[in-house]
Amino acid sequence: MTPFALIDANNFYVSCERVFDYHLRDRPVVVLSNNDGCCVARSPEAKALGIRMGQPFFEVRDLLAQHQGRALSSNYALYGDMSSRLMQVIGQFSPEQEVYSIDESFLRFTPGEAAGLTALGLALRARVLQWTGLPVGVGIGPTKTLAKLANHLAKRHPDFAAAGVCNWLDLSAAARAAYAADLGVAAVWGIGGRWAARLGQAGIQTVADLRRADPEGLRRRFNVVLARTALELRGTPCLALEETPPPRQQIIASRSFGQPVTTRAELGEALASHTARAAVRLRAAGLVTGLLQVSIATSPFREDEPQYHPTWGLALPVPTADTVPLLRAARAALGLIFRAGYRYQRAGVVLLDLSPAGAVTGDLFAPVAPAGAARRARLLDVLDGVNGRWGRGTLRYLAEGGPGGQTWRMRRERLSPAYTTDWAGLPGVG
């Protein structure tokens, strides 16, 4: 038996903000989605007020004010950097680590380490809190699904919430059965509300029901994934640790606008900015793209306005990670789909047909690479290095527009400082 642990930060976005702003402690706090639209993270105090995940901010603005609460815009620079720090600390406790999401990580241990895993989980939680300021929950189990379930108990069940660690392996058979019977099936990893409703119609209401269900019957009636989940809940490992992320199939850069856009020039600036951002991610992953897809869209929520949601893809003559040919392709695609008379609310770029740089089959009849290709590659390295050190947009392409003021920029009126990635954002004492 090879134990797994799932470490998950509590209310990650809110916790990142609280590390640097003590005024946010013990107060209702929500973090808002793009353009400050909806609540995407909530402190325990905000949840106690009845604020729902995804609830529009305008519905809770007055409620937060009544309880001296705060609403903050999403600070992606802060959250990304804090995530990197979190994963580095977690990785010190096992050489086998899978970074599952921005605030979740699996660890795998050897069978000989099983006896001391509860103490190790407590030590891990204490070190993460001391070194990053982030509270985490730790769930330990013989499979990834049971580790995830134990993490759910560690964060939400009063029996474990104080310690923040739940080790499924340390529980008696009677305790495991009791917790499984008490938890609804929606608490299981990968089963959301829709699947829970379908399973409920089949008489599977709780985790215990799913554990008892016949895996072959689940496979025939639903799918093989659900059958594997049932086996994992019984302690049979079916999901391996993914220490190396699977190859990327696409890179997406898309944002809603701060306010509707009507001109081709503004759309062009927005798409250029998204394309440049996607190209940086492409180079960082060591990939090239052979297909660029552009989309623009009006707001589906404005039913009184004309609707238009076109998408266009352009195959590139030669797969590349160079921003300039990608900008040209995005501009050409926009020219094919833009229509005047619409109020556009969103634009995006998707890079597809990805392959490792240097592993692309050449074209026998293609011209010889220009003498400046190596120089161009060095220029891109310098560009990425400057922006990586001094902040995205320090150096930009003219097609992206000026440093600020564009109507298409995402609205973030409640943005906190970039405490860890910008010298100007360092907290002051005085």
Side-chain angles (χ1 to χ4, degrees):
M1 185 271 297
T2 302
F4 293 88
L6 187 278
I7 301 91
D8 181 11
N10 302 342
N11 315 302
F12 180 63
Y13 286 3
V14 171
S15 295
C16 289
E17 301 283 359
R18 283 179 162 177
V19 170
F20 300 97
D21 188 348
Y22 71 91
H23 295 99
L24 302 178
R25 311 253 174 113
D26 302 319
R27 298 172 63 179
V29 179
V30 299
V31 174
L32 304 174
S33 62
N34 293 348
N35 294 308
D36 294 345
C38 301
C39 303
V40 294
R42 304 157 296 156
S43 69
E45 297 82 4
K47 295 175 184 177
L49 293 178
I51 297 176
R52 306 185 306 276
M53 176 66 77
Q55 188 169 4
F57 174 53
F58 74 87
E59 294 183 358
V60 302
R61 182 187 287 109
D62 293 341
L63 180 63
L64 283 171
Q66 292 170 13
H67 293 84
Q68 291 76 52
R70 288 278 302 277
L72 300 168
S73 302
S74 292
N75 189 335
Y76 300 118
L78 173 64
Y79 309 149
D81 187 67
M82 291 297 288
S83 173
S84 177
R85 297 171 187 232
L86 172 66
M87 297 310 165
Q88 289 178 15
V89 178
I90 292 173
Q92 296 174 3
F93 286 80
S94 173
E96 298 184 83
Q97 179 183 20
E98 175 190 339
V99 177
Y100 180 66
S101 70
I102 191 172
D103 65 338
E104 292 180 278
S105 181
F106 282 101
L107 297 179
R108 182 168 59 189
F109 302 96
T110 63
E113 295 175 293
L117 286 183
T118 299
L120 186 142
L122 292 168
L124 185 156
R125 188 169 184 266
R127 184 181 297 180
V128 168
L129 185 62
Q130 181 181 12
W131 288 17
T132 70
L134 298 172
V136 299
V138 180
I140 300 166
T143 68
K144 291 174 74 174
T145 302
L146 282 173
K148 183 80 170 176
L149 188 69
N151 180 275
H152 177 91
L153 290 170
K155 295 174 68 173
R156 304 190 184 188
H157 200 284
D159 290 350
F160 307 99
V165 177
C166 174
N167 187 347
W168 191 262
L169 298 169
D170 280 354
L171 301 178
S172 66
R176 296 176 187 175
Y179 290 124
D182 187 52
L183 288 172
V185 72
V188 177
W189 184 27
I191 298 179
R194 185 175 301 178
W195 270 106
R198 289 188 61 186
L199 289 169
Q201 294 172 357
I204 300 174
Q205 303 282 352
T206 67
V207 174
D209 295 333
L210 186 55
R211 287 181 68 192
R212 288 192 296 264
D214 174 40
E216 182 59 25
L218 292 171
R219 186 191 66 80
R220 289 196 304 267
R221 182 165 182 176
F222 298 101
N223 56 43
V224 68
V225 174
L226 198 59
R228 290 173 180 168
T229 299
L231 287 171
E232 286 246 326
L233 289 174
R234 296 180 181 185
T236 302
C238 299
L239 302 174
L241 195 75
E242 295 182 2
E243 297 179 72
T244 303
R248 302 192 68 160
Q249 302 299 314
Q250 61 183 13
I251 291 177
I252 302 174
S254 178
R255 284 285 188 273
S256 295
F257 301 139
Q259 62 186 57
V261 165
T262 58
T263 69
R264 178 174 170 177
E266 290 175 304
L267 280 174
E269 285 186 358
L271 284 171
S273 179
H274 298 334
T275 302
R277 190 168 77 250
V280 170
R281 293 161 59 189
L282 188 69
R283 291 191 291 270
L287 300 172
V288 293
T289 178
L291 177 64
L292 180 142
Q293 181 177 284
V294 165
S295 63
I296 55 179
T298 55
S299 173
F301 303 105
R302 297 183 178 272
E303 299 179 356
D304 57 325
E305 297 182 357
Q307 297 293 308
Y308 184 48
H309 310 90
T311 298
W312 195 274
L314 285 180
L316 303 170
V318 178
T320 183
D322 192 331
T323 305
V324 170
L326 296 178
L327 289 173
R328 291 172 181 155
R331 182 172 58 195
L334 176 62
L336 293 169
I337 61 177
F338 174 76
R339 297 290 182 272
Y342 293 96
R343 287 160 51 86
Y344 297 97
Q345 189 62 47
R346 190 178 188 90
V349 170
V350 183
L351 304 183
L352 300 162
D353 190 17
L354 305 184
S355 54
V360 178
T361 303
D363 184 347
L364 179 63
F365 302 102
V368 177
R375 184 178 179 183
R376 178 68 189 170
R378 290 196 298 272
L379 176 62
L380 291 171
D381 287 342
V382 170
L383 179 67
D384 294 345
V386 169
N387 287 332
R389 180 174 182 178
W390 301 108
R392 191 174 72 201
T394 302
L395 295 177
R396 66 171 64 82
Y397 291 86
L398 182 61
E400 299 180 63
Q406 298 96 331
T407 57
W408 55 267
R409 293 285 182 191
M410 182 171 60
R411 185 171 65 252
R412 292 195 287 178
E413 299 173 350
R414 301 166 176 270
L415 185 64
S416 58
Y419 298 107
T420 63
T421 57
D422 186 348
W423 288 107
L426 286 176
V429 178

